[in-house]
Amino acid sequence: MAARTDVTAAGNFLIPNGTFFVELLIFLIVLGVIWFFVVPPIRKVLAEREARVDETTANFKEAKETFAEAEARYQSGLEKARAEAAEIRNTARAEGRAILEQLRSEAQEEADRIVADSAAQLRSEADQVAAELRAEVEPLAESLAERVSGVNGQRAGSSAGRQRGQASS
């Protein structure tokens, strides 16, 4: 049997015909339109978005560094302020102690002065009382001595009269 050569290609779908080439041409035209008119704006938007993301990332890193620096300055300022406050507190305590000691010494001096003045006043009052007592006791002692010795009876009587007069007054 011999091979048939009179078979036509109209029924074979594997052999391309004009419809295939027209569809291929339309696909390439649509692909070209999309490639030249749709893809560039999308690429531009994506590039802008990526640039903004990069910028935001850089800003975030810069802000993070700035925050770290500010935090370090804050901590150092806080430590400095605490040290100054402690120094001021210690100075105030020392001044308070000095003032307290000064007031205590002034009070002690005032008390010593008051005691000395009181002692001097008491001494002068004691001397005055002793002088008054001597003035009063001396005539009594003389009259008593005269009575005991019996020297002058007349005088003893007058002295006794004096004593009675003083006692009555």
Side-chain angles (χ1 to χ4, degrees), residues 23-40:
E23 287 176 359
L24 182 63
L25 182 65
I26 290 172
F27 175 74
L28 291 175
I29 290 172
V30 168
L31 186 63
V33 167
I34 290 174
W35 186 260
F36 288 111
F37 295 111
V38 176
V39 171

mmCIF file with all atom_site columns, all heavy atoms in Angstrom, residues 23-40:
data_model
loop_
_atom_site.group_PDB
_atom_site.id
_atom_site.type_symbol
_atom_site.label_atom_id
_atom_site.label_alt_id
_atom_site.label_comp_id
_atom_site.label_asym_id
_atom_site.label_entity_id
_atom_site.label_seq_id
_atom_site.pdbx_PDB_ins_code
_atom_site.Cartn_x
_atom_site.Cartn_y
_atom_site.Cartn_z
_atom_site.occupancy
_atom_site.B_iso_or_equiv
_atom_site.pdbx_formal_charge
_atom_site.auth_seq_id
_atom_site.auth_comp_id
_atom_site.auth_asym_id
_atom_site.auth_atom_id
_atom_site.pdbx_PDB_model_num
ATOM 1   N N   . GLU A 1 23 ? -3.900 36.671 15.289 1.00 0.00 ? 23 GLU A N   1
ATOM 2   C CA  . GLU A 1 23 ? -4.001 36.678 16.757 1.00 0.00 ? 23 GLU A CA  1
ATOM 3   C C   . GLU A 1 23 ? -2.643 36.967 17.392 1.00 0.00 ? 23 GLU A C   1
ATOM 4   O O   . GLU A 1 23 ? -2.546 37.685 18.385 1.00 0.00 ? 23 GLU A O   1
ATOM 5   C CB  . GLU A 1 23 ? -4.540 35.329 17.240 1.00 0.00 ? 23 GLU A CB  1
ATOM 6   C CG  . GLU A 1 23 ? -6.012 35.141 16.948 1.00 0.00 ? 23 GLU A CG  1
ATOM 7   C CD  . GLU A 1 23 ? -6.500 33.764 17.353 1.00 0.00 ? 23 GLU A CD  1
ATOM 8   O OE1 . GLU A 1 23 ? -5.689 32.941 17.851 1.00 0.00 ? 23 GLU A OE1 1
ATOM 9   O OE2 . GLU A 1 23 ? -7.695 33.512 17.191 1.00 0.00 ? 23 GLU A OE2 1
ATOM 10  N N   . LEU A 1 24 ? -1.571 36.389 16.786 1.00 0.00 ? 24 LEU A N   1
ATOM 11  C CA  . LEU A 1 24 ? -0.230 36.649 17.278 1.00 0.00 ? 24 LEU A CA  1
ATOM 12  C C   . LEU A 1 24 ? 0.122  38.122 17.116 1.00 0.00 ? 24 LEU A C   1
ATOM 13  O O   . LEU A 1 24 ? 0.687  38.739 18.030 1.00 0.00 ? 24 LEU A O   1
ATOM 14  C CB  . LEU A 1 24 ? 0.788  35.756 16.550 1.00 0.00 ? 24 LEU A CB  1
ATOM 15  C CG  . LEU A 1 24 ? 2.232  35.901 16.995 1.00 0.00 ? 24 LEU A CG  1
ATOM 16  C CD1 . LEU A 1 24 ? 2.393  35.489 18.454 1.00 0.00 ? 24 LEU A CD1 1
ATOM 17  C CD2 . LEU A 1 24 ? 3.137  35.091 16.089 1.00 0.00 ? 24 LEU A CD2 1
ATOM 18  N N   . LEU A 1 25 ? -0.235 38.707 16.006 1.00 0.00 ? 25 LEU A N   1
ATOM 19  C CA  . LEU A 1 25 ? 0.038  40.120 15.755 1.00 0.00 ? 25 LEU A CA  1
ATOM 20  C C   . LEU A 1 25 ? -0.750 40.996 16.739 1.00 0.00 ? 25 LEU A C   1
ATOM 21  O O   . LEU A 1 25 ? -0.203 41.956 17.317 1.00 0.00 ? 25 LEU A O   1
ATOM 22  C CB  . LEU A 1 25 ? -0.319 40.465 14.311 1.00 0.00 ? 25 LEU A CB  1
ATOM 23  C CG  . LEU A 1 25 ? -0.044 41.909 13.901 1.00 0.00 ? 25 LEU A CG  1
ATOM 24  C CD1 . LEU A 1 25 ? 1.447  42.200 13.944 1.00 0.00 ? 25 LEU A CD1 1
ATOM 25  C CD2 . LEU A 1 25 ? -0.606 42.185 12.530 1.00 0.00 ? 25 LEU A CD2 1
ATOM 26  N N   . ILE A 1 26 ? -2.020 40.688 16.998 1.00 0.00 ? 26 ILE A N   1
ATOM 27  C CA  . ILE A 1 26 ? -2.827 41.467 17.936 1.00 0.00 ? 26 ILE A CA  1
ATOM 28  C C   . ILE A 1 26 ? -2.231 41.336 19.358 1.00 0.00 ? 26 ILE A C   1
ATOM 29  O O   . ILE A 1 26 ? -2.138 42.327 20.099 1.00 0.00 ? 26 ILE A O   1
ATOM 30  C CB  . ILE A 1 26 ? -4.294 41.003 17.902 1.00 0.00 ? 26 ILE A CB  1
ATOM 31  C CG1 . ILE A 1 26 ? -4.929 41.407 16.573 1.00 0.00 ? 26 ILE A CG1 1
ATOM 32  C CG2 . ILE A 1 26 ? -5.088 41.610 19.064 1.00 0.00 ? 26 ILE A CG2 1
ATOM 33  C CD1 . ILE A 1 26 ? -6.312 40.833 16.354 1.00 0.00 ? 26 ILE A CD1 1
ATOM 34  N N   . PHE A 1 27 ? -1.793 40.134 19.745 1.00 0.00 ? 27 PHE A N   1
ATOM 35  C CA  . PHE A 1 27 ? -1.186 39.929 21.057 1.00 0.00 ? 27 PHE A CA  1
ATOM 36  C C   . PHE A 1 27 ? 0.070  40.765 21.208 1.00 0.00 ? 27 PHE A C   1
ATOM 37  O O   . PHE A 1 27 ? 0.291  41.400 22.249 1.00 0.00 ? 27 PHE A O   1
ATOM 38  C CB  . PHE A 1 27 ? -0.883 38.434 21.258 1.00 0.00 ? 27 PHE A CB  1
ATOM 39  C CG  . PHE A 1 27 ? -0.147 38.147 22.525 1.00 0.00 ? 27 PHE A CG  1
ATOM 40  C CD1 . PHE A 1 27 ? -0.781 38.200 23.766 1.00 0.00 ? 27 PHE A CD1 1
ATOM 41  C CD2 . PHE A 1 27 ? 1.210  37.868 22.507 1.00 0.00 ? 27 PHE A CD2 1
ATOM 42  C CE1 . PHE A 1 27 ? -0.081 37.950 24.923 1.00 0.00 ? 27 PHE A CE1 1
ATOM 43  C CE2 . PHE A 1 27 ? 1.907  37.622 23.659 1.00 0.00 ? 27 PHE A CE2 1
ATOM 44  C CZ  . PHE A 1 27 ? 1.263  37.657 24.888 1.00 0.00 ? 27 PHE A CZ  1
ATOM 45  N N   . LEU A 1 28 ? 0.902  40.785 20.178 1.00 0.00 ? 28 LEU A N   1
ATOM 46  C CA  . LEU A 1 28 ? 2.139  41.568 20.235 1.00 0.00 ? 28 LEU A CA  1
ATOM 47  C C   . LEU A 1 28 ? 1.840  43.061 20.294 1.00 0.00 ? 28 LEU A C   1
ATOM 48  O O   . LEU A 1 28 ? 2.529  43.814 21.010 1.00 0.00 ? 28 LEU A O   1
ATOM 49  C CB  . LEU A 1 28 ? 3.038  41.229 19.053 1.00 0.00 ? 28 LEU A CB  1
ATOM 50  C CG  . LEU A 1 28 ? 3.648  39.819 19.071 1.00 0.00 ? 28 LEU A CG  1
ATOM 51  C CD1 . LEU A 1 28 ? 4.430  39.584 17.771 1.00 0.00 ? 28 LEU A CD1 1
ATOM 52  C CD2 . LEU A 1 28 ? 4.537  39.632 20.257 1.00 0.00 ? 28 LEU A CD2 1
ATOM 53  N N   . ILE A 1 29 ? 0.790  43.501 19.593 1.00 0.00 ? 29 ILE A N   1
ATOM 54  C CA  . ILE A 1 29 ? 0.421  44.932 19.631 1.00 0.00 ? 29 ILE A CA  1
ATOM 55  C C   . ILE A 1 29 ? -0.072 45.289 21.047 1.00 0.00 ? 29 ILE A C   1
ATOM 56  O O   . ILE A 1 29 ? 0.328  46.304 21.626 1.00 0.00 ? 29 ILE A O   1
ATOM 57  C CB  . ILE A 1 29 ? -0.647 45.252 18.564 1.00 0.00 ? 29 ILE A CB  1
ATOM 58  C CG1 . ILE A 1 29 ? -0.025 45.168 17.178 1.00 0.00 ? 29 ILE A CG1 1
ATOM 59  C CG2 . ILE A 1 29 ? -1.262 46.633 18.798 1.00 0.00 ? 29 ILE A CG2 1
ATOM 60  C CD1 . ILE A 1 29 ? -1.021 45.285 16.047 1.00 0.00 ? 29 ILE A CD1 1
ATOM 61  N N   . VAL A 1 30 ? -0.927 44.446 21.628 1.00 0.00 ? 30 VAL A N   1
ATOM 62  C CA  . VAL A 1 30 ? -1.434 44.705 22.971 1.00 0.00 ? 30 VAL A CA  1
ATOM 63  C C   . VAL A 1 30 ? -0.260 44.685 23.975 1.00 0.00 ? 30 VAL A C   1
ATOM 64  O O   . VAL A 1 30 ? -0.159 45.522 24.875 1.00 0.00 ? 30 VAL A O   1
ATOM 65  C CB  . VAL A 1 30 ? -2.524 43.681 23.358 1.00 0.00 ? 30 VAL A CB  1
ATOM 66  C CG1 . VAL A 1 30 ? -2.857 43.754 24.837 1.00 0.00 ? 30 VAL A CG1 1
ATOM 67  C CG2 . VAL A 1 30 ? -3.782 43.903 22.536 1.00 0.00 ? 30 VAL A CG2 1
ATOM 68  N N   . LEU A 1 31 ? 0.661  43.712 23.790 1.00 0.00 ? 31 LEU A N   1
ATOM 69  C CA  . LEU A 1 31 ? 1.826  43.628 24.646 1.00 0.00 ? 31 LEU A CA  1
ATOM 70  C C   . LEU A 1 31 ? 2.692  44.881 24.524 1.00 0.00 ? 31 LEU A C   1
ATOM 71  O O   . LEU A 1 31 ? 3.167  45.433 25.521 1.00 0.00 ? 31 LEU A O   1
ATOM 72  C CB  . LEU A 1 31 ? 2.640  42.371 24.308 1.00 0.00 ? 31 LEU A CB  1
ATOM 73  C CG  . LEU A 1 31 ? 3.814  42.070 25.222 1.00 0.00 ? 31 LEU A CG  1
ATOM 74  C CD1 . LEU A 1 31 ? 3.337  41.793 26.644 1.00 0.00 ? 31 LEU A CD1 1
ATOM 75  C CD2 . LEU A 1 31 ? 4.603  40.901 24.688 1.00 0.00 ? 31 LEU A CD2 1
ATOM 76  N N   . GLY A 1 32 ? 2.873  45.380 23.325 1.00 0.00 ? 32 GLY A N   1
ATOM 77  C CA  . GLY A 1 32 ? 3.647  46.600 23.104 1.00 0.00 ? 32 GLY A CA  1
ATOM 78  C C   . GLY A 1 32 ? 2.982  47.812 23.730 1.00 0.00 ? 32 GLY A C   1
ATOM 79  O O   . GLY A 1 32 ? 3.632  48.667 24.342 1.00 0.00 ? 32 GLY A O   1
ATOM 80  N N   . VAL A 1 33 ? 1.649  47.920 23.576 1.00 0.00 ? 33 VAL A N   1
ATOM 81  C CA  . VAL A 1 33 ? 0.916  49.038 24.173 1.00 0.00 ? 33 VAL A CA  1
ATOM 82  C C   . VAL A 1 33 ? 1.064  48.983 25.699 1.00 0.00 ? 33 VAL A C   1
ATOM 83  O O   . VAL A 1 33 ? 1.328  50.004 26.346 1.00 0.00 ? 33 VAL A O   1
ATOM 84  C CB  . VAL A 1 33 ? -0.569 49.000 23.741 1.00 0.00 ? 33 VAL A CB  1
ATOM 85  C CG1 . VAL A 1 33 ? -1.417 49.950 24.580 1.00 0.00 ? 33 VAL A CG1 1
ATOM 86  C CG2 . VAL A 1 33 ? -0.706 49.343 22.274 1.00 0.00 ? 33 VAL A CG2 1
ATOM 87  N N   . ILE A 1 34 ? 0.883  47.800 26.270 1.00 0.00 ? 34 ILE A N   1
ATOM 88  C CA  . ILE A 1 34 ? 1.032  47.668 27.718 1.00 0.00 ? 34 ILE A CA  1
ATOM 89  C C   . ILE A 1 34 ? 2.468  47.999 28.119 1.00 0.00 ? 34 ILE A C   1
ATOM 90  O O   . ILE A 1 34 ? 2.703  48.705 29.101 1.00 0.00 ? 34 ILE A O   1
ATOM 91  C CB  . ILE A 1 34 ? 0.625  46.244 28.178 1.00 0.00 ? 34 ILE A CB  1
ATOM 92  C CG1 . ILE A 1 34 ? -0.886 46.069 28.031 1.00 0.00 ? 34 ILE A CG1 1
ATOM 93  C CG2 . ILE A 1 34 ? 1.048  45.994 29.624 1.00 0.00 ? 34 ILE A CG2 1
ATOM 94  C CD1 . ILE A 1 34 ? -1.373 44.667 28.315 1.00 0.00 ? 34 ILE A CD1 1
ATOM 95  N N   . TRP A 1 35 ? 3.425  47.517 27.369 1.00 0.00 ? 35 TRP A N   1
ATOM 96  C CA  . TRP A 1 35 ? 4.846  47.724 27.698 1.00 0.00 ? 35 TRP A CA  1
ATOM 97  C C   . TRP A 1 35 ? 5.227  49.203 27.640 1.00 0.00 ? 35 TRP A C   1
ATOM 98  O O   . TRP A 1 35 ? 5.988  49.685 28.473 1.00 0.00 ? 35 TRP A O   1
ATOM 99  C CB  . TRP A 1 35 ? 5.718  46.889 26.749 1.00 0.00 ? 35 TRP A CB  1
ATOM 100 C CG  . TRP A 1 35 ? 7.164  46.934 27.124 1.00 0.00 ? 35 TRP A CG  1
ATOM 101 C CD1 . TRP A 1 35 ? 8.130  47.699 26.568 1.00 0.00 ? 35 TRP A CD1 1
ATOM 102 C CD2 . TRP A 1 35 ? 7.794  46.214 28.155 1.00 0.00 ? 35 TRP A CD2 1
ATOM 103 N NE1 . TRP A 1 35 ? 9.314  47.481 27.177 1.00 0.00 ? 35 TRP A NE1 1
ATOM 104 C CE2 . TRP A 1 35 ? 9.138  46.554 28.173 1.00 0.00 ? 35 TRP A CE2 1
ATOM 105 C CE3 . TRP A 1 35 ? 7.344  45.266 29.093 1.00 0.00 ? 35 TRP A CE3 1
ATOM 106 C CZ2 . TRP A 1 35 ? 10.049 46.013 29.069 1.00 0.00 ? 35 TRP A CZ2 1
ATOM 107 C CZ3 . TRP A 1 35 ? 8.253  44.731 29.954 1.00 0.00 ? 35 TRP A CZ3 1
ATOM 108 C CH2 . TRP A 1 35 ? 9.606  45.115 29.954 1.00 0.00 ? 35 TRP A CH2 1
ATOM 109 N N   . PHE A 1 36 ? 4.704  49.928 26.658 1.00 0.00 ? 36 PHE A N   1
ATOM 110 C CA  . PHE A 1 36 ? 5.108  51.330 26.496 1.00 0.00 ? 36 PHE A CA  1
ATOM 111 C C   . PHE A 1 36 ? 4.208  52.321 27.235 1.00 0.00 ? 36 PHE A C   1
ATOM 112 O O   . PHE A 1 36 ? 4.644  53.430 27.549 1.00 0.00 ? 36 PHE A O   1
ATOM 113 C CB  . PHE A 1 36 ? 5.166  51.693 25.004 1.00 0.00 ? 36 PHE A CB  1
ATOM 114 C CG  . PHE A 1 36 ? 6.326  51.077 24.297 1.00 0.00 ? 36 PHE A CG  1
ATOM 115 C CD1 . PHE A 1 36 ? 6.137  50.069 23.351 1.00 0.00 ? 36 PHE A CD1 1
ATOM 116 C CD2 . PHE A 1 36 ? 7.621  51.491 24.580 1.00 0.00 ? 36 PHE A CD2 1
ATOM 117 C CE1 . PHE A 1 36 ? 7.208  49.498 22.714 1.00 0.00 ? 36 PHE A CE1 1
ATOM 118 C CE2 . PHE A 1 36 ? 8.694  50.919 23.919 1.00 0.00 ? 36 PHE A CE2 1
ATOM 119 C CZ  . PHE A 1 36 ? 8.490  49.920 22.986 1.00 0.00 ? 36 PHE A CZ  1
ATOM 120 N N   . PHE A 1 37 ? 2.957  51.983 27.478 1.00 0.00 ? 37 PHE A N   1
ATOM 121 C CA  . PHE A 1 37 ? 2.047  52.949 28.081 1.00 0.00 ? 37 PHE A CA  1
ATOM 122 C C   . PHE A 1 37 ? 1.592  52.607 29.505 1.00 0.00 ? 37 PHE A C   1
ATOM 123 O O   . PHE A 1 37 ? 1.237  53.499 30.267 1.00 0.00 ? 37 PHE A O   1
ATOM 124 C CB  . PHE A 1 37 ? 0.801  53.125 27.180 1.00 0.00 ? 37 PHE A CB  1
ATOM 125 C CG  . PHE A 1 37 ? 1.130  53.726 25.857 1.00 0.00 ? 37 PHE A CG  1
ATOM 126 C CD1 . PHE A 1 37 ? 1.025  52.966 24.696 1.00 0.00 ? 37 PHE A CD1 1
ATOM 127 C CD2 . PHE A 1 37 ? 1.540  55.034 25.749 1.00 0.00 ? 37 PHE A CD2 1
ATOM 128 C CE1 . PHE A 1 37 ? 1.340  53.515 23.468 1.00 0.00 ? 37 PHE A CE1 1
ATOM 129 C CE2 . PHE A 1 37 ? 1.853  55.583 24.516 1.00 0.00 ? 37 PHE A CE2 1
ATOM 130 C CZ  . PHE A 1 37 ? 1.754  54.813 23.376 1.00 0.00 ? 37 PHE A CZ  1
ATOM 131 N N   . VAL A 1 38 ? 1.580  51.377 29.897 1.00 0.00 ? 38 VAL A N   1
ATOM 132 C CA  . VAL A 1 38 ? 1.093  50.987 31.223 1.00 0.00 ? 38 VAL A CA  1
ATOM 133 C C   . VAL A 1 38 ? 2.251  50.711 32.185 1.00 0.00 ? 38 VAL A C   1
ATOM 134 O O   . VAL A 1 38 ? 2.230  51.153 33.333 1.00 0.00 ? 38 VAL A O   1
ATOM 135 C CB  . VAL A 1 38 ? 0.159  49.754 31.115 1.00 0.00 ? 38 VAL A CB  1
ATOM 136 C CG1 . VAL A 1 38 ? -0.276 49.281 32.489 1.00 0.00 ? 38 VAL A CG1 1
ATOM 137 C CG2 . VAL A 1 38 ? -1.054 50.056 30.254 1.00 0.00 ? 38 VAL A CG2 1
ATOM 138 N N   . VAL A 1 39 ? 3.251  49.991 31.703 1.00 0.00 ? 39 VAL A N   1
ATOM 139 C CA  . VAL A 1 39 ? 4.350  49.594 32.588 1.00 0.00 ? 39 VAL A CA  1
ATOM 140 C C   . VAL A 1 39 ? 5.177  50.789 33.072 1.00 0.00 ? 39 VAL A C   1
ATOM 141 O O   . VAL A 1 39 ? 5.514  50.848 34.274 1.00 0.00 ? 39 VAL A O   1
ATOM 142 C CB  . VAL A 1 39 ? 5.225  48.515 31.892 1.00 0.00 ? 39 VAL A CB  1
ATOM 143 C CG1 . VAL A 1 39 ? 6.480  48.241 32.689 1.00 0.00 ? 39 VAL A CG1 1
ATOM 144 C CG2 . VAL A 1 39 ? 4.436  47.242 31.684 1.00 0.00 ? 39 VAL A CG2 1
ATOM 145 N N   . PRO A 1 40 ? 5.529  51.794 32.229 1.00 0.00 ? 40 PRO A N   1
ATOM 146 C CA  . PRO A 1 40 ? 6.342  52.918 32.741 1.00 0.00 ? 40 PRO A CA  1
ATOM 147 C C   . PRO A 1 40 ? 5.685  53.678 33.900 1.00 0.00 ? 40 PRO A C   1
ATOM 148 O O   . PRO A 1 40 ? 6.353  53.955 34.896 1.00 0.00 ? 40 PRO A O   1
ATOM 149 C CB  . PRO A 1 40 ? 6.565  53.802 31.529 1.00 0.00 ? 40 PRO A CB  1
ATOM 150 C CG  . PRO A 1 40 ? 6.475  52.879 30.367 1.00 0.00 ? 40 PRO A CG  1
ATOM 151 C CD  . PRO A 1 40 ? 5.450  51.847 30.757 1.00 0.00 ? 40 PRO A CD  1
#
